[in-house]
Amino acid sequence: MNRIRIPLAVTLIVVLVLAAILAPWIAPYAPDETDLANRLQSPSTTHWLGTDHLGRDLLSRLIWGARASLAAVAAILALVLTIGCAVGITAGLVGGWVDAFLMRVCEGFMTVPTLVLALFMIGALGTGLVNVVVAITLSHWAYYARLVRATTISLRNIDYVVAARLAGLTRFGVMRRHVMPILAGQLAVLASLDLGHWMLHVAGLSFLGLGLAPPAPEWGIMINDARPFFRVAPMLILLPGAAILLTVLAFNLLGDALRDRFDPAMATPPS
């Protein structure tokens, strides 16, 4: 199965990333360029996927929407890994009251459902894509910290780690040489499975008007804007919805393949 899943997932992700990076050059129109004379047009040689209710080119907005969505997910990934690894490794290596205090903080964040916590943080911080990224980060970092701590504790008393400490290697050196290489595989699996989850969060919060504000090109905003025109032009909702679906599918396929690669006990039995 990995022979199919990994190439398919990587191909989809590479296409999306290239579209996001090259959006200024490959998008046929500016994403906010309106043309009311050509509103709600069907696909044509001028507008390959048609136009929306303001005459904006739908293909261009989908391409620019990939940039907004993937940038938000990439920022969430970087922040979650940074905070989760820092807290988890500190708790696992130091132990004692530091470990107890950090884990109580993690448990406090984990007791509230992630979407509810994200909505609360946005209510406190305000709307906007930056605040959406911060809110989703704060609602997910604790899970990574717990994983990193558990792995660090399991490695802390292994012979080669103890020998490295006795040889004078600092805690940072132990982390860099002996902990992070083992953590990398576990974090790659967890992060790849969560990327699609975060993508849905970003799109859902933007759909609710809590993320980017119109007329910004973002897939959740595009779906929200198209609701009144669903009967007239259903593709206005179906196309950004398909973009979200394919992106989440690509991340989930990659996560499943990595899980099977790094954790054979969880591998899917051959059909």
Side-chain angles (χ1 to χ4, degrees):
M1 289 297 292
N2 281 357
R3 293 179 180 179
I4 300 174
R5 285 183 294 178
I6 292 180
L8 178 60
V10 171
T11 300
L12 288 173
I13 293 171
V14 168
V15 169
L16 287 166
V17 171
L18 288 177
I21 294 173
L22 301 176
W25 296 277
I26 65 175
Y29 298 90
D32 55 354
E33 181 180 340
T34 60
D35 182 7
L36 294 178
N38 289 310
R39 62 192 299 268
L40 299 176
Q41 292 293 308
S42 300
S44 65
T45 55
T46 305
H47 300 282
W48 290 2
L49 296 180
T51 60
D52 66 4
H53 62 292
L54 295 177
R56 297 171 296 193
D57 183 67
L58 191 55
L59 175 60
S60 300
R61 289 183 63 78
L62 284 173
I63 293 173
W64 278 91
R67 167 174 281 204
S69 298
L70 292 178
V73 169
I76 294 167
L77 175 63
L79 290 172
V80 165
L81 288 179
T82 300
I83 299 172
C85 288
V87 172
I89 290 175
T90 300
L93 288 180
V94 177
W97 69 267
V98 174
D99 179 23
F101 172 75
L102 291 176
M103 288 305 100
R104 298 300 81 73
V105 174
C106 288
E107 290 167 3
F109 278 91
M110 294 172 66
T111 55
V112 183
T114 55
L115 184 57
V116 173
L117 181 57
L119 291 172
F120 171 78
M121 297 306 301
I122 290 175
L125 299 172
T127 60
L129 188 60
V130 173
N131 290 339
V132 166
V133 169
V134 172
I136 296 175
T137 298
L138 292 177
S139 64
H140 287 82
W141 70 269
Y143 297 91
Y144 287 74
R146 297 278 294 187
L147 171 66
V148 171
R149 170 189 176 268
T151 303
T152 303
I153 290 176
S154 69
L155 296 174
R156 188 170 59 190
N157 296 321
I158 290 181
D159 291 343
Y160 65 83
V161 174
V162 175
R165 292 295 306 276
L166 293 175
L169 194 63
T170 64
R171 283 176 176 168
F172 176 77
V174 170
M175 173 195 73
R176 181 172 58 86
R177 293 187 184 182
H178 301 296
V179 177
M180 288 307 299
I182 295 176
L183 278 172
Q186 297 179 5
L187 291 175
V189 174
L190 182 59
S192 59
L193 290 170
D194 274 344
L195 287 172
H197 180 63
W198 296 336
M199 176 70 71
L200 290 175
H201 272 346
V202 171
L205 292 172
S206 294
F207 175 82
L208 295 174
L210 302 176
L212 284 171
E218 198 278 332
W219 294 335
I221 292 175
M222 293 173 65
I223 294 175
N224 187 40
D225 287 346
R227 286 185 302 119
F229 309 97
F230 178 69
R231 294 181 181 274
V232 179
M235 296 303 288
L236 296 183
I237 286 181
L238 296 179
L239 287 176
I244 295 172
L245 174 63
L246 287 175
T247 305
V248 174
L249 175 63
F251 287 137
N252 286 345
L253 286 174
L254 181 61
D256 286 341
L258 290 176
R259 181 191 61 192
D260 294 350
R261 173 67 176 82
F262 289 105
D263 189 2
M266 297 292 292
T268 304
S271 55

